[in-house]
Structure formats: structure tokens, C-alpha cells
Amino acid sequence: QVQLVESGGGSVQIGGSLNLSCAASGYTDSPRAMAWFRQAPGKEREGVAAIYTRNGFTIYADSVKGRFTMSQDNAKNAVYLSMNSLKPEDSAMYYCAAGGQFTLSSSRYDDWGQGTQVTVSS
């Protein structure tokens, strides 16, 4: 039984920081790629960051590049998202995903967490 569990969401001031965590379990083979997605009400799901778990290489959406950093701890099958200089438009439900293809396209991911809410306000 594959399970992804996100944590670390909450409310933060504009310009503040949050750190999200995602713990994966139940895999016989570790996923090749893991990613963070977000979705705000009335908006489509957006790929935020992805990591190729074999070497730690990352890709980011232009909207978060330079502000967010994705990292991993393969020993724990965990990934993280460090979010800095947060803006109101970063407010969304953030989802952790795992799959076999390294991409920011949501359709390429098979397993999803239930999400953690991030709210950015003044």
C-alpha cells in the first residue's frame, strides 16, 4: 500500500517562509521522480518542483524559481520543499506526488498525498 503524507503547511506572512515535508511509504521500488504540485480555488493544478531521486536533480516552475528549493532524503524516502519570499499567489493546497517520469506534468504521476494547505497573507 503506497502512501504519501505531507506536512508543514500553515499560515505565513507575505515574505515569510515555510518548509513542507512529504514522507513516502509502501514502495517495493523507490519512485524515480517525486514532485510538488499546488492548486488554488478556481485555478488548475500547477507543477511547482520535481526531483529526480537518483541524483537529486531538480526542476522548478518559473513562478517559484529562486524562491523555492526541493530536496530529498532517500534513506527516509522523503522529499521537502523549502519556500521563501512567499507571496499571496503562493497560497494553495500543496500536494506531494511520486512517479516514474521526471516532469512537472501532473498526468505523469501515479501516487498522490492528500495535501497540506499553505496560506500567505499580510
Side-chain angles (χ1 to χ4, degrees), residues 42-53:
K43 299 181 69 176
E44 63 184 1
R45 185 165 294 188
E46 175 188 19
V48 175
I51 191 165
Y52 186 66
T53 61

Side-chain angles (χ1 to χ4, degrees), residues 37-71:
F37 293 83
R38 65 186 183 187
Q39 188 167 27
K43 299 181 69 176
E44 63 184 1
R45 185 165 294 188
E46 175 188 19
V48 175
I51 191 165
Y52 186 66
T53 61
R54 303 298 189 265
N55 63 10
F57 187 80
T58 53
I59 54 174
Y60 300 92
D62 287 342
S63 59
V64 307
K65 194 173 298 181
R67 299 187 297 119
F68 291 11
T69 302
M70 189 173 183
S71 59

Side-chain angles (χ1 to χ4, degrees), residues 34-119:
M34 296 189 70
W36 289 96
F37 293 83
R38 65 186 183 187
Q39 188 167 27
K43 299 181 69 176
E44 63 184 1
R45 185 165 294 188
E46 175 188 19
V48 175
I51 191 165
Y52 186 66
T53 61
R54 303 298 189 265
N55 63 10
F57 187 80
T58 53
I59 54 174
Y60 300 92
D62 287 342
S63 59
V64 307
K65 194 173 298 181
R67 299 187 297 119
F68 291 11
T69 302
M70 189 173 183
S71 59
Q72 67 179 354
D73 184 343
N74 283 342
K76 298 180 179 179
N77 270 344
V79 296
Y80 310 92
L81 186 67
S82 175
M83 304 186 294
N84 302 299
S85 301
L86 284 162
K87 307 173 181 179
E89 51 263 47
D90 294 319
S91 296
M93 184 72 73
Y94 282 71
Y95 299 91
C96 179
Q101 190 168 359
F102 180 53
T103 178
L104 287 177
S105 175
S106 62
S107 65
R108 300 295 88 194
Y109 289 86
D110 302 312
D111 302 309
W112 294 80
Q114 292 186 334
T116 185
Q117 180 68 44
V118 172
T119 302

